[in-house]
Amino acid sequence: MYFWLCLVLGAIFFKGGYSADVHPEKVVAFAGGNAVLPCKLKIPVSDHVPTVEWSKEGLDSDIVFLYRDGFETFEMKNLDFEFRTSLFMREVKKGNVSLRISNLKPSDAGIYQCLIIQRNGSREATKVELAVGM
Ligand SMILES: *[C@@H]1O[C@H](CO)[C@@H](O)[C@H](O)[C@H]1NC(C)=O
Ligand SMILES: *[C@@H]1O[C@H](CO)[C@@H](O)[C@H](O)[C@H]1NC(C)=O
């Protein structure tokens, strides 16, 4: 009985720890200003930067920034974010693929996902929540 209780409590604590870990980082910025959504490669690659896909939850066309083979790719980008999103190119080589969103609108608030796809196919995703104040 005691064993099972420990097991159940252990599972609850483990789950709690896990969801805390998954809880998105929160960034607060103001309408009309800029926001930097943090995202970093765990293993920096010096010679080849993999694919970086920034998307926003709840949009029909959810890509807000797509970086592939050293360049930004525009085909799938949501038009609402045209000319408003960029990476810090000098930082990308260091594995920092944080997204800058400029001229913020209240509708930009929400959950963003940074997905990094390595050349060997391994994927890492992180979420960031953006709050836009007026
Ligand atoms: C990534 O680059 C941005 C812009 O230069 C900077 O604000 C941020 O602190 C950097 N993040 C890390 C983890 O180095
Ligand atoms: C891909 O490479 C990374 C870094 O070298 C490594 O950590 C990861 O396990 C690899 N993934 C696969 C699917 O081979």
Side-chain angles (χ1 to χ4, degrees):
M1 183 61 202
Y2 183 67
F3 171 78
W4 285 109
L5 190 65
C6 285
L7 203 67
V8 167
L9 283 179
I12 290 167
F13 279 119
F14 180 74
K15 215 167 164 246
Y18 182 74
S19 56
D21 205 15
V22 155
H23 196 77
E25 192 168 334
K26 194 162 182 176
V27 171
V28 180
F30 290 92
N34 302 323
V36 176
L37 308 185
C39 184
K40 205 168 188 332
L41 283 175
K42 286 196 194 86
I43 310 132
V45 265
S46 50
D47 56 337
H48 174 77
V49 177
T51 299
V52 180
E53 181 193 294
W54 273 98
S55 58
K56 182 173 187 274
E57 278 182 9
L59 295 179
D60 289 338
S61 160
D62 67 349
I63 305 292
V64 300
F65 192 91
L66 183 59
Y67 178 89
R68 209 182 262 160
D69 297 324
F71 298 99
E72 179 177 4
T73 302
F74 295 94
E75 311 140 32
M76 300 193 308
K77 186 168 178 172
N78 186 304
L79 285 178
D80 195 30
F81 288 88
E82 207 173 15
F83 312 123
R84 294 201 299 129
T85 52
S86 57
L87 300 186
F88 297 90
M89 294 319 296
R90 215 180 297 164
E91 294 287 326
V92 169
K93 291 188 193 73
K94 299 183 219 157
N96 177 355
V97 292
S98 299
L99 182 76
R100 179 177 187 266
I101 307 178
S102 55
N103 195 14
L104 283 172
K105 304 176 187 180
S107 61
D108 292 340
I111 310 258
Y112 290 76
Q113 175 177 263
C114 169
L115 174 68
I116 296 164
I117 306 168
Q118 300 276 8
R119 189 165 255 188
N120 67 6
S122 83
R123 289 159 166 257
E124 289 171 29
T126 15
K127 290 193 177 179
V128 184
E129 182 179 354
L130 174 66
V132 180
M134 300 288 273

